[in-house]
Structure formats: C-alpha cells, structure tokens
Amino acid sequence: SGRIAPYGTRNPQVVKAYAGVIESADPAAADTLQQAISAEPDFGPAYRELAQVKLRQQDRPGALAVLNQALARGGSIGAVERARTEFDAATIRGDPTARERALIALTHADPADPIVWRDLGLTYMSRHQYVQAAAALQHALRIEPDDADSLNQLGYAAAYAGNLEEGVQALRHYQQLQPESANALDSLGDVNLVTGRLREAEGYYLAAGKKSPEFFAGVDFLKAAMARLMSGDTTGADDAARQYFAARTAAHDPLVELRQAEWQWISGRRKAAYQQMEKLAAS
C-alpha cells in the first residue's frame, strides 16, 4: 500500500490502557482512558472510546465534550481519526448533514474501509438517492466482494435506480453466499415488485415462504398474496393468504382472526370484513 501511516501513538502504556478498556467491562474505564489521553493527547482512538464509555453511562453531553476535545487538536490527531471523530460527534448530535460530510471525508482518508462505503451507501438510501447509494455500495463490494449485507442493499439501490439487472445480479450472489437463508429470495421478490414484475415477485415470495415458513412468521406468503392481488387475481391471492394465516397460527399469533378480517377488507370483500371485525370487537 502507498497509504501506510504510523500508528497513532508510540507509547506502549497508552496502547495497553486503550486495549484493556476495549477488552474488559472495567468500571474505572473512564479514568484509565483519561490518563491515556493525558499521556498521549494526539491519540484519537482513546477519545472515541471514552465517548462510548460516557454514552453507556447515559452522559451524552460528556461524550460530545470528549469528542470536541479531540477535534480541538486539529490535524495533529490525523485525517482518519479526525473524520471518525467528526462522524461520532455528528451521530450524537443527530446531524445527518455533518454525518454524511464525515463519511465522505472518511472515504478520502481511508478509502480501503468497506464499512465506510457501506455506511455512506445506506445514508444515500435513506435519502432516496439511489444512484449515489449504488455507487457507494459498489465501492464497498470492490473491497469486500462477499459482504452479504452490502450485496443485499445494492440489490435494492440498483433496482430503485432503474437498473433491475444489476440488482438481481447482486442478490443472486447474496443467495449463493447464504443458500439456506430466505432473505435473498425475499429481497428478489421486493425488487421485482417495485419494478412492476408481479408474477416474478410472487414466485420469489412463495419460494422464500416455502424455504423458511418461520421467516417473520410467514410474511412472504402475505407478500405473494399482495403481488397476486395487484395482478387482479383474487382467487390466486387467497391461496397464498391461507398459507400466511397457517404460518401465523403456527407462530401462535393471537391476532390471526384480525389479520383474516384485514385480508377480506384489502381484497375487496368489505361487508364480510366489517362483519368479522364487528364480532372481534364484541368479543
């Protein structure tokens, strides 16, 4: 690598104190870290860990004060640590703009960290900036090609950005990595649904439900029912809905009858749904 930089401290006692706090539940952790900061005031990780200790103690103002103390050191704590500290401070303040700015700074300061790129992608996703989200997630996957979470998120980002084929490709890779999981099939159903491919979506949902009926207590059967209903086939939708109710019953859901009434309403049988809800309300 051409980006190798010295570690943040050459003081072995500071490293020992920092590592000791991370690896233990020592109630004196704050004091230990404060001593480490006094011994090496430019060692950024100690500030960030001390802020985490204070957050666990429900001391948000104290945590923010520690991070601001680190930021006051300016460039002496290093570009990567400064960006990470800015990210933590923005998270505590609930400042999404500053948080995004810190993530972008981190992609420049530490471009080989896939977690940073994934977090940036999720930030763009939350703002419905799907093209930017897909680009950030692609960066993460170039570094860590088999990261299942990034593949799953890329599936959605690419589909919402109008590139279904890329989204499906990412989700297929995810499926290969975790063949026993129903989540990849569920996600394939979602991306087909949002792009209007109702029959394909229904097929993936049914496959997910059959692979793992306990996955969110059979929700994929309900999704399959909704996809079929959106195509105008109420009878076919009822078949999938019955599988959903069976899964909910197996999960000992006390609201199965209410869910059945809701399905009656959603599928257009309003009078029957009303009568069923009336009975449930009376009981």
Side-chain angles (χ1 to χ4, degrees):
S1 171
R3 306 181 71 92
I4 294 173
Y7 191 61
T9 177
R10 293 179 178 275
N11 187 326
Q13 294 308 312
V14 170
V15 176
K16 182 178 179 181
Y18 171 63
V21 168
I22 290 174
E23 294 174 358
S24 74
D26 184 0
D31 293 337
T32 302
L33 287 166
Q34 196 61 65
Q35 291 168 10
I37 289 169
S38 298
E40 185 66 83
D42 291 336
F43 184 52
Y47 293 94
R48 293 192 296 110
E49 188 60 32
L50 179 56
Q52 290 302 312
V53 170
K54 290 187 177 293
L55 283 177
R56 290 194 291 272
Q57 297 170 344
Q58 308 300 314
D59 182 7
R60 291 173 67 85
L64 194 55
V66 168
L67 296 172
N68 286 334
Q69 181 186 352
L71 292 172
R73 302 295 301 175
S76 62
I77 66 170
V80 173
E81 280 303 321
R82 182 174 181 81
R84 286 178 178 158
T85 304
E86 287 173 342
F87 175 82
D88 289 352
T91 301
I92 292 173
R93 292 196 310 270
D95 184 343
T97 303
R99 190 176 180 276
E100 180 183 343
R101 193 164 53 239
L103 279 172
I104 291 171
L106 268 172
T107 64
H108 293 293
D110 191 11
D113 186 345
I115 295 173
V116 170
W117 286 107
R118 187 180 67 203
D119 285 350
L120 183 59
L122 294 178
T123 298
Y124 286 134
M125 284 282 283
S126 70
R127 296 184 181 180
H128 310 292
Q129 295 174 277
Y130 300 117
V131 173
Q132 296 92 326
L137 291 163
Q138 287 162 354
H139 271 288
L141 288 163
R142 276 195 284 272
I143 301 163
E144 196 171 350
D146 292 341
D147 177 45
D149 187 47
S150 292
L151 286 165
N152 193 38
Q153 294 298 334
L154 177 59
Y156 286 95
Y160 278 120
N163 193 342
L164 177 62
E165 184 55 41
E166 182 185 352
V168 168
Q169 215 170 25
L171 293 172
R172 288 289 191 200
H173 188 181
Y174 172 31
Q175 187 181 23
Q176 290 169 358
L177 292 172
Q178 298 185 8
E180 300 306 313
S181 171
N183 194 53
L185 289 166
D186 173 76
S187 297
L188 282 162
D190 288 345
V191 300
N192 276 277
L193 184 74
V194 299
T195 52
R197 296 158 59 95
L198 300 177
R199 285 304 176 97
E200 291 83 351
E202 180 190 358
Y204 283 121
Y205 288 141
L206 288 174
K210 289 170 183 173
K211 177 178 280 290
S212 182
E214 69 280 2
F215 182 73
F216 288 105
V219 71
D220 279 300
F221 290 122
L222 178 61
K223 289 183 174 185
M226 291 298 298
R228 177 64 74 93
L229 187 64
M230 290 167 70
S231 73
D233 181 358
T234 305
T235 303
D238 283 341
D239 289 339
R242 278 191 286 272
Q243 295 179 76
Y244 170 62
F245 300 136
R248 297 303 305 190
T249 300
H252 306 292
D253 181 1
L255 300 177
V256 169
E257 290 180 313
L258 176 60
R259 298 183 196 282
Q260 289 171 329
E262 288 175 337
W263 175 252
Q264 292 277 73
W265 184 272
I266 290 167
S267 57
R269 288 157 287 199
R270 302 298 174 89
K271 185 176 180 179
Y274 179 86
Q275 290 171 341
Q276 192 170 349
M277 289 182 184
E278 193 173 39
K279 288 179 184 177
L280 288 170
S283 64

